[in-house]
Amino acid sequence: MWISDADATAAGRCLAQIAEKSNDIVDLFLEIRREIEFRGEEEGPGVVERSEQGFAVRLVREGRTYLSARDAFEPGALRSALRDVTRVVPSSAYRVPELSAARPLAQRDDDCRSFSARVRQALREMHAAFDFRSRVASHGRRVQIVGRRLVPAAQSEDFFSVTCSTPWGAFGTLTAVLDDACARFVARALLDRFRARDAEAVSGVSGAIVLAPAATAVLLHEAVAHALEADTLVMSGRPDAALGVKLGSDLLDILDSPSELPTGLRRETDDEGIPVLRRWLLQKGCVDQVLADRFHAGSSRQLLPGAGRRAGRHLAPAPRSSHLELLPGEQRLEELLEGAEGLYFSEISSGRLNPLTGELVVEFPHGRRFRSGNLAERVGRCALRGKASRILSAVEAVGDNSVFAGAGWCAKGGHRLPVWATCPHLRLAGLEVEV
Amino acid sequence: MEPSALLDRIARSLQPVGLESVEVYLKSGRSRRAALGSQGQLSSLHRETGWAVRASGAQSSFFCCGSGAPAPDGPWPNPAGPPLRLPGPRPVLDWRAPQHLRAPLCVEHEALEILEACGRELARELPSARLLQATLEDGESASLVVNSRGVEASWCQRNATLYLEAALGSHQVIEYSGEKSASAFHPTALARRIADRLLIRRDGSIAGRGRGTVLLAPPVAVRVLGGLLPLLMDAVGRRRGLGVDDSSIGSRCLTIVDDGRLPGGLFSAPVDGEGVPTRRKVLVDRGVIVSRLTSGSEGAATARELAGCVRRASFRDVPRVGPSHLFIEPDSERAAGVLLEEMVEGHYFLDPVDAGRFDLTNDRFEMTVAGFSVRSGTPTAAVSRARLSGTISQLLGGLDAVARDLTFFPLGGLLGSPSLRIVGLDVTAS
């Protein structure tokens, strides 16, 4: 095995021994991760490094999941974990392999160390200067899944996170590279907060709403991805009952495509070792597929696994999106901004979907009015509330320029996972924002 | 390797780069988790082993942690940012480890039975309600900290938490509680509390506008205490200029205490996460700020006596100042029922609907709550949503009575409060 030099074949044979029934799911999940964070703060250490490795054995049998997780590759650890999930001493004559400590992940901290200064430089180039606190981190992770028959290749995730806080609000993003373009993007977001610091909160404003790609990504993550996760759908019925349901405007063609992510983030298999799909979630606004892991896919032939993700070895997999893609439309930004008056939002600060009622709340930290194709005065914080299906049905135009944007952390169900998106601008009509 | 020998080796490896203050923290633990919910039935066992090293020179510092055992010779990250000041050794007061630390973890079927019992009892109390998610975690851990200034301390923890999420139609409530062990949870009592909360949400009306007396039950009162926490933290409070020391911030009924060795407390320990002895510390005495939560490194600046209030949730977390058992002191003479009977007109709020917004800088707060309207000491009608708002000064200054029903909730640390009766707040429709 790439990750710990153990004998994968022997591990697979051991797993096969404890799978008594044909539909038992049994796997070994090996994980190594490293995170280094630079903190530009008054208190506490200026650099924080976390490196971990460990594994978990999982057995799913007749709707019950048994999991045993360890924080170290110690002698006898795999044998002990196998015993935990089977709850008997295995009668196997096969040798249980020993897992050895993995090689540490390579350092990627130089870019992080200097990034805060690059954001300050970008701010100066925008003729602005104000103080902010930053946390810039490099995240590396390798996972390998051993099944009873297959040992897919180890998967990698390498990315950066940036969090900046100002007296006017915090801004955070994830990025595949910490380059000058990213520094300008962060600087622009901070500058927008600064310029909107005294803007009045708006309420009761109706008219067109235009969302920038980053805001579109968060809206779709909450209203489409979370709504179509099998563990969300099962709270109100059978997940496969959602297939074919009209969820939004005909203009919405949305898929989850982990294999289309940039290098360093791209996945071939999910966290259960199942090959990932270019999974159509919505086609012309109708549900085509839902996000399912092996557990939920076992309940219906119509559900396809391959979207199982786990934040770490101590958690069982759950269905989650990785990379949402909204296909571009035909409207240029200038055309989206045409009309008497409306509101333009470059970002969404938070979003929540109530899985029982379908009520969605997204909050905007600030925005701008637009009139006749031009951006006008700034507005303060406000929110959009309503049924997710009503908000998605209000989409009246999709921009022609799709960009990789709107990445962030999703923390549903205790899984803190990076999520990514490629989206164009979006125009909605007939909705009202409130405080 | 012995902890002191490990510290020596790590210190030797860091000396060449000028990092002479070194702290080593080791933690091991195991826990059983059982869950019922959208992922079916889950039973898991976790063995966690980890370490953390903090090191500092004259100019900069680092925090480094990992799973398993540390490699004493590194490699270590290059330090950056401000230096750290580690605490020195201090005498630990008499400490007898509580009995419950020796209790074994619950076994798989016990854990699942507790969760299933919660579902059964809820169905009996309120047949149309559904238990959406139930998670029980029962765990124990042993921690040890040594540092180059001579601190060497160890402590153990043992506790269980239960997370229940239930729905009645479109109404949803979450009940999160902590006990010393899994067997201490009472499914019937928990189910009744959840059923009451769901019925108030479903059947209650929206509150009308008014200003009068409110009685806040412990679940609501601890949210208020949580909102005030920045005021009680030394670093945050000083930075934001909140509440001058020795100034009055509330009524004489308000006494706030943090006690890291609270008898019977869930997080009670002889020392905190830096090895500093814990003790009872009064932060607000009859309405006057007399002290704040402060760490060893901040202590040098403020010259205050340390109270051992640095928390480490896991080996992954940078130690930070926080409460262990932070509570509003109860009045042992007065039952909550008496406070209610004395109310002529007002509201009795039992359930926080949201976490609330507490703007200490601009002296404003608001939170959404649910409960009952009260007239002549009797609850008259359920209120499903009401917005409680006002200034922080009104909130603390208007406190006219506290009850004896002190209850703790796991909200970061353990926050506790008895029922609080407050006058002069606005109650509006939410």
Side-chain angles (χ1 to χ4, degrees):
Chain A
M1 278 180 282
W2 181 89
I3 205 165
S4 89
D5 299 330
D7 180 347
T9 313
R13 276 201 299 267
C14 290
L15 297 174
Q17 283 286 299
I18 64 172
E20 292 171 353
K21 300 181 179 174
S22 61
N23 53 358
D24 280 357
I25 299 170
V26 57
D27 55 27
L28 168 64
F29 175 85
L30 300 132
E31 175 185 46
I32 172 170
R33 60 198 311 158
R34 180 175 175 275
E35 175 188 311
I36 186 157
E37 181 178 65
F38 292 87
R39 298 177 167 198
E41 296 174 355
E42 284 174 15
E43 291 119 22
V47 58
V48 172
E49 180 177 323
R50 299 181 176 95
S51 60
E52 292 191 38
Q53 45 186 281
F55 71 94
V57 177
R58 175 180 68 141
L59 168 66
V60 182
R61 179 175 292 161
E62 293 169 350
R64 296 179 176 190
T65 300
Y66 305 94
L67 181 78
S68 181
R70 298 286 192 281
D71 276 352
F73 298 126
E74 297 166 333
L78 180 56
R79 178 180 293 276
S80 156
L82 288 167
R83 194 181 304 138
D84 285 344
V85 298
T86 55
R87 278 126 339 117
V88 293
V89 177
S91 58
S92 162
Y94 290 116
R95 181 179 59 84
V96 178
E98 295 296 352
L99 303 176
S100 55
R103 286 178 292 275
L105 296 186
Q107 309 272 332
R108 294 211 314 157
D109 48 356
D110 286 346
D111 288 344
C112 297
R113 203 179 271 271
S114 61
F115 188 72
S116 186
R118 289 159 80 183
V119 174
R120 285 177 211 280
Q121 174 64 30
L123 272 173
R124 276 196 294 276
E125 287 166 9
M126 294 171 191
H127 308 291
F130 49 80
D131 198 23
F132 62 89
R133 294 160 190 266
S134 65
R135 288 188 179 189
V136 185
S138 160
H139 305 260
R141 185 189 190 215
R142 307 284 179 272
V143 297
Q144 181 150 43
I145 295 89
V146 181
R148 54 177 160 160
R149 297 193 185 94
L150 294 171
V151 184
Q155 300 293 298
S156 302
E157 278 175 11
D158 293 293
F159 60 94
F160 301 93
S161 65
V162 180
T163 311
C164 297
S165 52
T166 70
W168 318 287
F171 171 78
T173 189
L174 305 183
T175 175
V177 285
L178 281 179
D179 55 10
D180 286 338
C182 182
R184 282 194 298 275
F185 170 71
V186 173
R188 171 59 60 191
L190 297 179
L191 189 56
D192 281 345
R193 272 168 177 62
F194 174 76
R195 287 182 173 159
R197 66 193 185 284
D198 295 325
E200 291 281 325
V202 286
S203 186
V205 176
S206 54
I209 294 172
V210 174
L211 302 180
T216 302
V218 179
L219 177 76
L220 297 182
H221 175 78
E222 298 296 337
V224 178
H226 279 323
L228 296 182
E229 287 161 354
D231 60 342
T232 301
L233 292 165
V234 82
M235 291 169 85
S236 50
R238 285 178 24 240
D240 55 5
L243 301 180
V245 168
K246 182 82 171 163
L247 192 63
S249 156
D250 286 349
L251 299 169
L252 293 175
D253 291 307
I254 300 172
L255 43 81
D256 182 56
S257 55
S259 58
E260 303 296 313
L261 280 162
T263 308
L265 302 168
R266 192 173 300 146
R267 297 292 297 256
E268 294 167 1
T269 59
D270 68 354
D271 288 338
E272 297 184 292
I274 303 293
V276 297
L277 308 169
R278 268 176 66 82
R279 182 186 305 256
W280 284 101
L281 298 176
L282 296 187
Q283 291 213 52
K284 296 197 181 305
C286 290
V287 178
D288 191 78
Q289 257 298 323
V290 304
L291 292 158
D293 56 359
R294 292 181 75 186
F295 180 88
H296 289 96
S299 68
S300 168
R301 286 175 180 274
Q302 291 178 280
L303 304 187
L304 302 171
R309 298 187 70 188
R310 53 203 296 181
R313 57 202 173 276
H314 292 289
L315 292 166
R320 296 287 180 270
S321 75
S322 297
H323 175 220
L324 276 187
E325 230 181 304
L326 168 62
L327 296 197
E330 294 171 348
Q331 309 266 307
R332 290 180 295 111
L333 177 59
E334 300 76 42
E335 292 167 332
L336 294 174
L337 295 176
E338 276 175 4
E341 188 167 69
L343 290 165
Y344 175 85
F345 296 105
S346 57
E347 55 180 286
I348 289 175
S349 52
S350 69
R352 292 179 303 280
L353 176 75
N354 183 328
L356 296 177
T357 61
E359 285 288 329
L360 175 71
V361 182
V362 290
E363 292 171 346
F364 306 103
H366 54 78
R368 293 185 78 164
R369 290 183 193 277
F370 65 83
R371 291 185 195 90
S372 310
N374 295 312
L375 291 176
E377 69 271 20
R378 292 176 191 273
V379 297
R381 69 180 174 86
C382 56
L384 188 58
R385 295 183 175 87
K387 293 271 186 196
S389 55
R390 182 170 167 256
I391 292 173
L392 293 174
S393 299
V395 172
E396 65 169 12
V398 179
D400 63 349
N401 186 17
S402 211
V403 296
F404 187 61
W409 294 105
C410 171
K412 183 188 163 191
H415 285 260
R416 187 170 183 262
L417 291 163
V419 289
W420 310 90
T422 301
C423 292
H425 284 82
L426 206 60
R427 179 177 163 121
L428 303 106
L431 300 174
E432 194 171 287
V433 297
E434 42 192 272
V435 174
Chain B
M1 191 184 295
E2 283 295 309
S4 51
L6 179 64
L7 175 70
D8 284 345
R9 272 193 64 182
I10 291 174
R12 273 203 302 275
S13 72
L14 290 167
Q15 218 163 21
V17 288
L19 299 175
E20 298 192 335
S21 287
V22 182
E23 176 195 77
V24 179
Y25 172 74
L26 304 171
K27 183 172 185 178
S28 62
R30 59 191 192 112
S31 61
R32 174 172 298 283
R33 191 180 304 149
L36 298 175
S38 57
Q39 288 290 108
Q41 188 186 79
L42 170 75
S43 172
S44 60
L45 198 60
H46 309 263
R47 289 176 205 275
E48 297 188 80
T49 319
W51 56 272
V53 169
R54 284 196 296 172
S56 180
Q59 302 294 329
S60 53
S61 60
F62 74 71
F63 172 90
C64 184
C65 68
S67 56
D73 301 321
W76 304 107
N78 293 324
L84 295 170
R85 185 173 185 278
L86 298 174
R90 303 168 70 87
V92 179
L93 303 173
D94 279 347
W95 173 257
R96 183 177 292 176
Q99 289 284 336
H100 77 271
L101 292 180
R102 288 193 283 274
L105 294 187
C106 66
V107 296
E108 181 183 309
H109 73 84
E110 280 177 314
L112 290 168
E113 173 53 30
I114 290 168
L115 301 182
E116 282 163 1
C118 290
R120 275 198 310 273
E121 293 298 322
L122 181 61
R124 189 150 57 200
E125 288 290 324
L126 194 56
S128 46
R130 286 189 300 145
L131 193 59
L132 300 174
Q133 180 72 40
T135 305
L136 173 75
E137 187 148 6
D138 192 16
E140 61 183 13
S141 68
S143 302
L144 183 147
V145 65
V146 286
N147 78 23
S148 54
R149 294 190 65 200
V151 166
E152 179 160 359
S154 61
W155 66 98
C156 296
Q157 296 266 291
R158 169 84 176 82
N159 55 54
T161 57
L162 180 58
Y163 173 92
L164 300 171
E165 191 177 337
L168 178 64
S170 60
H171 304 278
Q172 199 175 348
V173 299
I174 290 170
E175 185 81 25
Y176 185 52
S177 45
E179 291 287 355
K180 292 172 188 166
S181 67
S183 58
F185 290 112
H186 294 286
T188 309
L190 289 164
R192 283 185 185 155
R193 199 182 307 160
I194 290 172
D196 288 347
R197 293 174 61 194
L198 286 170
L199 283 171
I200 291 172
R201 299 275 180 97
R202 187 188 68 179
D203 299 338
S205 56
I206 307 290
R209 177 176 284 275
R211 175 179 279 210
T213 306
V214 295
L215 181 60
L216 308 183
V220 182
V222 293
R223 297 286 179 173
V224 172
L225 183 60
L228 299 177
L229 200 51
L231 187 70
L232 307 172
M233 312 270 276
D234 207 28
V236 183
R238 268 190 292 117
R239 192 166 59 227
R240 294 201 205 158
L242 300 173
V244 180
D245 289 356
D246 303 323
S247 66
S248 175
I249 59 160
S251 87
R252 291 181 61 81
C253 298
L254 181 69
T255 294
I256 301 177
V257 175
D258 184 60
D259 190 349
R261 55 170 55 216
L262 184 75
L266 210 55
F267 294 159
S268 286
V271 292
D272 72 352
E274 289 183 316
V276 174
T278 51
R279 66 179 177 88
R280 177 185 164 91
K281 186 172 188 179
V282 177
L283 306 176
V284 176
D285 186 15
R286 285 172 291 177
V288 178
I289 295 186
V290 292
S291 182
R292 301 200 214 217
L293 296 172
T294 182
S295 72
S297 50
E298 294 163 5
T302 59
R304 283 210 196 89
E305 194 179 354
L306 300 178
C309 53
V310 170
R311 299 194 64 234
R312 306 177 93 126
S314 81
F315 64 86
R316 300 171 187 89
D317 296 291
V318 177
R320 63 183 178 84
V321 174
S324 49
H325 306 90
L326 180 77
F327 59 96
I328 296 175
E329 188 122 277
D331 178 349
S332 58
E333 303 291 314
R334 310 188 79 178
V338 173
L339 266 56
L340 180 64
E341 282 170 11
E342 291 170 355
M343 286 170 65
V344 178
E345 189 162 7
H347 293 90
Y348 182 19
F349 292 124
L350 298 167
D351 187 16
V353 177
D354 63 23
R357 286 183 182 171
F358 293 82
D359 183 348
L360 297 171
T361 311
N362 295 311
D363 196 20
R364 293 292 308 171
F365 89 97
E366 63 174 44
M367 70 186 298
T368 309
V369 289
F372 294 95
S373 303
V374 176
R375 185 160 292 182
S376 305
T378 307
T380 51
V383 175
S384 62
R385 290 176 78 87
R387 181 177 292 160
L388 187 63
S389 62
T391 65
I392 307 278
S393 321
Q394 282 169 337
L395 175 70
L396 302 178
L399 179 65
D400 84 336
V402 297
R404 65 184 178 203
D405 54 341
L406 172 64
T407 311
F408 284 94
F409 296 86
L411 295 166
L414 279 176
L415 301 191
S417 176
S419 295
L420 307 177
R421 196 173 64 200
I422 304 171
V423 294
L425 298 179
D426 292 325
V427 176
T428 51
S430 171

